[in-house]
């Protein structure tokens, strides 16, 4: 359909031009799929309509498969041009989504909430022959992508760049360095604070919070240090002066 045809029409010539000039390329694919409006083709919707009770959920599942098809077309493009073994592919989403079965929107405790369903997303890295397929539990963020991709391209990573190079991690080595996890001004629920605490201990983080008036007691109960400022600029200055990277959620 249009999503796949449009992808190949726009991205194929770009990849071909780069390879013909023997130049590396950076391709960013950020489609609307599977965002609303949920208007999947009937051939996909038919696969889910009778498998779930809610038509809204069926449409969302079909949208996810539609998006999956477009990603498959992009990977096939790399395979056909024999570029897969020399290309780092990264997949991530900007937020969680739990489909509301009663409407076209999202359910509670998902998008636009600091709960697990809103902030926890998978990050997939694929590089045949370099990254061994596995499932890992380390806590990472999208800020880690730039230093990771720079390192993959053989470019020196600036020492003051936020984030961590994940390549040593996915190659079963230790992280380059510990970093601070800075929690911005949000009333975090206890379940997320407990999860952040557990994951940070695994990674060797120090945890700091922007000092807001809501939830300070809960932050301290989970062993999270308050930076001592109610202003974002002062909180960020605190992190920079500490000499560590800042990782924001």
């Amino acid at each position: 359909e249009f999503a796949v045809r449009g992808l190949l029409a726009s991205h194929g010539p770009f990849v071909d031009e780069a390879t013909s000039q023997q130049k590396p390329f950076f391709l960013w694919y950020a489609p609307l799929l599977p965002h609303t409006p949920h208007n999947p083709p009937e051939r996909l919707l038919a696969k889910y309509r009778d498998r779930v009770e809610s038509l809204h959920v069926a449409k969302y599942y079909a949208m996810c498969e539609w998006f999956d098809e477009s990603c498959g077309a992009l990977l096939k493009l790399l395979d056909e041009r024999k570029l897969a073994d020399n290309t780092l592919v990264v997949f991530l989403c900007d937020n969680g989504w739990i489909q509301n079965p009663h409407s076209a929107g999202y359910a509670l405790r998902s998008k636009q909430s600091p709960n697990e369903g809103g902030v926890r997303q998978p990050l997939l890295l694929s590089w045949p022959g370099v990254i061994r397929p596995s499932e890992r539990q380390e806590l990472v963020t999208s800020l880690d992508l730039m230093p990771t991709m720079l390192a993959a391209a053989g470019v020196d990573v600036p020492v003051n760049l936020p984030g961590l190079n994940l390549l040593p991690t996915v190659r079963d080595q230790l992280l380059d360095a510990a970093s601070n996890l800075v929690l911005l001004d949000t009333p975090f629920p206890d379940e997320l604070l407990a999860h952040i605490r557990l994951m940070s201990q695994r990674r060797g983080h120090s945890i700091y919070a922007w000092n807001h008036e809501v939830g300070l007691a809960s932050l301290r109960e989970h062993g999270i240090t308050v930076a001592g400022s109610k202003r974002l600029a002062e909180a960020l200055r605190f992190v920079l002066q500490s000499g560590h990277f800042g990782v924001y959620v």
Side-chain angles (χ1 to χ4, degrees):
E1 269 120 351
F2 176 78
V4 175
R5 293 199 307 270
L7 169 67
L8 298 178
S10 59
H11 292 61
F14 168 74
V15 173
D16 291 338
E17 180 180 0
T19 54
S20 67
Q21 298 178 18
Q22 297 184 331
K23 292 183 177 181
F25 61 86
F26 174 79
L27 195 158
W28 177 269
Y29 175 51
L32 187 63
L33 300 170
H35 201 279
T36 55
H38 292 161
N39 55 351
E42 176 59 30
R43 64 176 180 83
L44 294 178
L45 180 58
K47 297 172 62 174
Y48 300 98
R49 182 183 284 110
D50 297 331
R51 296 186 180 184
V52 294
E53 296 181 359
S54 168
L55 180 59
H56 297 294
V57 174
K59 287 183 176 181
Y60 176 64
Y61 288 168
M63 290 292 291
C64 290
E65 183 168 345
W66 200 11
F67 172 53
D68 185 64
E69 283 187 349
S70 68
C71 292
L74 188 57
L75 296 176
K76 183 179 180 181
L77 184 151
L78 296 177
D79 287 334
E80 291 176 343
R81 288 158 175 77
K82 302 186 184 304
L83 297 172
D85 290 346
N86 195 33
T87 303
L88 172 63
V89 176
V90 179
F91 175 90
L92 77 159
C93 299
D94 58 352
N95 56 259
W97 180 285
I98 300 174
Q99 179 60 47
N100 187 333
H102 307 296
S103 70
Y106 51 86
L108 295 175
R109 303 172 71 82
S110 62
K111 184 178 180 178
Q112 295 189 351
S113 84
N115 295 282
E116 282 278 298
V119 301
R120 186 182 178 99
Q121 282 293 317
L123 173 63
L124 309 181
L125 301 177
S126 175
W127 193 354
V130 178
I131 299 176
R132 178 175 57 85
S134 63
E135 181 177 342
R136 308 190 64 100
Q137 298 299 321
E138 288 90 347
L139 179 66
V140 299
T141 82
S142 56
L143 285 177
D144 297 327
L145 294 183
M146 185 172 181
T148 300
M149 290 186 285
L150 289 176
V155 178
D156 292 335
V157 180
V159 295
N160 62 343
L161 185 69
L164 300 174
N165 172 17
L166 299 177
L167 288 183
T169 304
V170 295
R171 289 171 170 169
D172 294 323
Q173 300 175 20
L174 297 176
L175 287 168
D176 287 349
S179 69
N180 289 321
L181 182 63
V182 180
L183 308 180
L184 296 186
D185 188 22
T186 304
F188 289 88
D190 285 344
E191 64 183 68
L192 181 58
L193 291 174
H195 172 72
I196 290 173
R197 180 66 175 171
L198 174 62
M199 299 303 290
S200 65
Q201 288 174 340
R202 293 178 180 176
R203 193 172 180 181
H205 286 144
S206 298
I207 312 177
Y208 295 90
W210 174 14
N211 183 358
H212 52 81
E213 296 181 356
V214 180
L216 288 183
S218 183
L219 289 172
R220 294 191 177 104
E221 287 176 0
H222 287 84
I224 297 177
T225 304
V226 176
S229 172
K230 294 182 179 180
R231 298 180 57 190
L232 174 58
E234 293 180 5
L236 296 181
R237 191 178 303 117
F238 171 85
V239 175
L240 294 175
Q241 292 174 348
S242 72
H244 296 285
F245 295 119
V247 182
Y248 309 97
V249 296

